[in-house]
Amino acid sequence: MAGEEAYSALPAQSGDESDQIEQGKAGTASTYSKAFNPREQLWQLLAEQMPRLIFTAVLIAVTLIIVKVYEQKSPVSLDDKHVFNTIVTVVNLALALNFLEAFKDMAKVLRWRVLANRKFTVRETDLILGGESLLKLATLALGSLKKPLTVFVCAFWILLNILAQASVAIITLNYSMETGVNSTGVTTSRGNVSFAKIDCYYNSGNCTTAPDQPPEVAQNEAHAYGEASLRERRCPYETDDDIFKSREDCTYFTRGDSQEYAYRYMEYNPDDRARAYPHPTERLIKTSTGQCSQYKPNASHPVGSPDGPASILVFPYSDGREDTALRIARTDSAFDSTTYAFTGIHPPQAASASTVVCGPRCIWVYAIRHHGPVTERDDEIFKCPITVSNVSNVDDMAHVVPHNTARLAAASIALSGRYTNPDSDEKEWQQYQWYPYGSYWELGDLSAQEVGSRMAEFAIGSLTSMANYNPQQNVSGTLPTLGYSLSVHWSYMIALAAVITGVHCLLVGLILWIARPVVVPGDSNLVVARLLHGLVGRLGEKGNLLEAKEIAEAIEKGEKEHEDANAVQKERGTVGYGVRHESSGAVLEIGEGLKRRKSLPGGKFPQGGYA
């Protein structure tokens, strides 16, 4: 055959080749020979293993980066969650496949050391040569139950492969995409949102300032909404940016000097019936107090009114320009208490007199702090202009609070829906609210500007409750949707990443150390076939369709005798990987009658050329 002619064409080596092998030298080079240098082989094997190792480190780093990016990006939308899951799935699959291929590469190196260390049956040799397949290793272990070391090595290698794949799964156990439950886990997009009707105070679904509604209903609602906000959480601010940047759960905000209050309107997802995850807009409404005046009234005296004789207490005082008086119903006054008063003839939403209205959205609100035995103070009258601003940053008429509603809010602390002259065509809407000593709204020892602060706070509370309790409407806005937040156990993630990369490095180093005493041929099928030529060649041209197990059995039974029948009879059925001497030089082979590693000088394959 052509192959045999080529083999016979190898030039003969000078000297005794057997002596050279005994001295640790493989021989000199021939036409088809190749030199074995352990150092060069080490670097070559390292170069072959490094791409897998680098790929492992890169994929681990990519996983950590992706997780970190999405953790910082949280909350994310459902689409972003799908993108994240897709990316990490691809990366994890790549990492798992990389481990699979890395272990295959290492098994292809280890098999030569295993075959060089001891002899095996032909069937065992075949399974070891296919050791990159876990199924073949399992078959080898099951067929070698009487060889504990073989079983242990096979089981250990299979376990390492399983742990490598499990480590990828364990990585995913250290982070999770959790659905948001409140406004901290919300993503936004443009769409139809649920937003409170703020054009007026509503009662039973009806606008109380509508022409067909009695005026007292709106006034009662305005005051009741202010009372409802008592003790709600408020947060400080100096500029609007402080409000927009606030991450606290604040009902409304108060400026540092307490002379101004602000409420930030919210938009909701129409499906969010519990209003658990609002979107804070940049629309603000503010209430403030101007310069308040403080007066010492003269002794009060009672006068009659439609409510009855002596039903009104008149507190005369001078405002510096003229003498005037504040009229308070006796039923709304008491010792050591505070009474707030709205002095208009018309209701706040329709008031126009300069003594009542201080601007299109401003109302003069009065308060009297009554004397009494507890506080031992004199009567004092306070007069403050309370203003409600326009809503800022509006982009829809649904976001506007009208002037009449603003005036109702400004005067809300004094409103009760009370009127006099019920039989007259023109009712008089002078009305009062009384707070006993110890109440939050009782003025105690507050200064004039602090009194104005309480009035402005009540007004913002009324507007806040209106936004919370009024009916909702659907308008175009920023639609909040519950998103997904990535929760990461970083201590475990980093530890696991370090362990995976470190173990891979350790295994590569260990494989290189184990392989150093033997020649590691290439993993090509042609290379393996060439090494098996002497063993499998015994069958001649027969058995081309036999399975591997059948071929092994045929060889072990000696279906075709070796040229040296005695040698075959002596070692038949036990083969290994080693060095054989021929006239052409030292030959690497898998077969019988070879010099194994332990019988070679230094326990390693000799350096030099191999035929």
Side-chain angles (χ1 to χ4, degrees), residues 129-151:
L129 286 172
E132 69 272 16
S133 167
L134 299 184
L135 182 59
K136 289 186 176 181
L137 283 183
T139 303
L140 175 61
L142 291 174
S144 307
L145 295 178
K146 294 182 179 181
K147 300 177 180 180
L149 181 60
T150 302
V151 174

Side-chain angles (χ1 to χ4, degrees), residues 60-120:
I60 289 292
V62 168
T63 299
L64 294 177
I65 291 172
I66 292 171
V67 171
K68 185 63 178 178
V69 167
Y70 272 83
E71 182 190 39
Q72 294 178 337
K73 188 180 178 181
S74 295
V76 298
S77 65
L78 180 61
D79 289 340
D80 285 338
K81 177 191 175 184
H82 290 160
V83 171
F84 171 79
N85 288 337
T86 300
I87 293 173
V88 295
T89 299
V90 170
V91 173
N92 288 339
L93 284 175
L95 186 58
L97 290 174
N98 182 62
F99 282 152
L100 184 64
E101 293 302 316
F103 274 87
K104 285 183 177 181
D105 291 345
M106 288 186 278
K108 290 176 181 178
V109 174
L110 282 177
R111 62 186 176 178
W112 303 111
R113 174 64 185 267
V114 173
L115 290 172
N117 269 14
R118 51 180 293 197
K119 294 199 173 187
F120 299 89

Side-chain angles (χ1 to χ4, degrees), residues 272-528:
D272 179 18
R273 303 299 182 187
R275 300 188 190 179
Y277 49 99
H279 167 68
T281 72
E282 293 193 355
R283 297 192 297 275
L284 302 176
I285 191 167
K286 298 179 180 180
T287 62
S288 60
T289 178
Q291 185 64 42
C292 294
S293 301
Q294 183 174 357
Y295 308 105
K296 291 282 188 180
N298 298 322
S300 62
H301 58 273
V303 297
S305 76
D307 292 335
S311 59
I312 296 292
L313 287 175
V314 178
F315 294 85
Y317 68 94
S318 173
D319 62 7
R321 293 176 300 175
E322 60 180 350
D323 293 335
T324 184
L326 178 64
R327 297 163 60 89
I328 302 292
R330 300 190 72 166
T331 55
D332 289 306
S333 63
F335 292 119
D336 298 307
S337 64
T338 295
T339 302
Y340 294 90
F342 171 74
T343 61
I345 296 176
H346 301 289
Q349 59 266 44
S352 59
S354 60
T355 56
V356 177
V357 176
C358 42
R361 303 172 72 88
C362 179
I363 292 289
W364 287 105
V365 181
Y366 292 80
I368 181 168
R369 186 160 57 192
H370 300 286
H371 73 282
V374 176
T375 58
E376 296 182 349
R377 64 192 180 194
D378 297 328
D379 291 333
E380 287 184 291
I381 294 174
F382 300 90
K383 178 184 178 183
C384 298
I386 305 301
T387 301
V388 175
S389 73
N390 288 301
V391 179
S392 62
N393 302 314
V394 299
D395 50 21
D396 192 293
M397 286 305 296
H399 303 153
V400 174
V401 174
H403 290 345
N404 59 349
T405 303
R407 290 197 295 269
L408 274 170
S412 59
I413 195 170
L415 300 182
S416 62
R418 180 186 185 278
Y419 58 87
T420 56
N421 296 338
D423 298 327
S424 171
D425 293 336
E426 192 70 29
K427 298 177 181 177
E428 294 185 11
W429 292 94
Q430 297 176 5
Q431 48 196 297
Y432 319 95
Q433 282 289 348
W434 169 78
Y435 290 95
Y437 180 76
S439 165
Y440 178 76
W441 303 112
E442 200 276 320
L443 298 181
D445 295 325
L446 299 183
S447 66
Q449 290 307 120
E450 289 173 332
V451 170
S453 173
R454 289 292 170 89
M455 296 174 178
E457 184 178 3
F458 196 99
I460 201 66
S462 181
L463 292 166
T464 298
S465 296
M466 180 176 71
N468 289 333
Y469 300 137
N470 269 12
Q472 300 289 303
Q473 60 186 326
N474 287 343
V475 297
S476 177
T478 303
L479 179 67
T481 305
L482 281 179
Y484 300 85
S485 297
L486 188 61
S487 175
V488 187
H489 300 291
W490 278 111
S491 57
Y492 296 108
M493 278 283 288
I494 294 173
L496 186 59
V499 168
I500 290 174
T501 308
V503 169
H504 196 160
C505 289
L506 181 63
L507 285 175
V508 169
L510 187 62
I511 295 302
L512 297 180
W513 182 81
I514 291 175
R516 76 194 190 288
V518 300
V519 178
V520 179
D523 60 2
S524 167
N525 290 334
L526 291 175
V527 173
V528 177

Side-chain angles (χ1 to χ4, degrees), residues 169-196:
I170 293 174
I171 289 176
T172 63
L173 296 179
N174 288 290
Y175 60 82
S176 61
M177 274 287 188
E178 299 175 352
T179 306
V181 295
N182 52 38
S183 58
T184 61
V186 167
T187 60
T188 57
S189 60
R190 294 297 298 178
N192 284 330
V193 300
S194 180
F195 181 71

Side-chain angles (χ1 to χ4, degrees), residues 196-209:
K197 294 182 177 181
I198 55 175
D199 55 328
C200 64
Y201 291 92
Y202 279 77
N203 180 279
S204 300
N206 298 315
C207 178
T208 57
T209 55

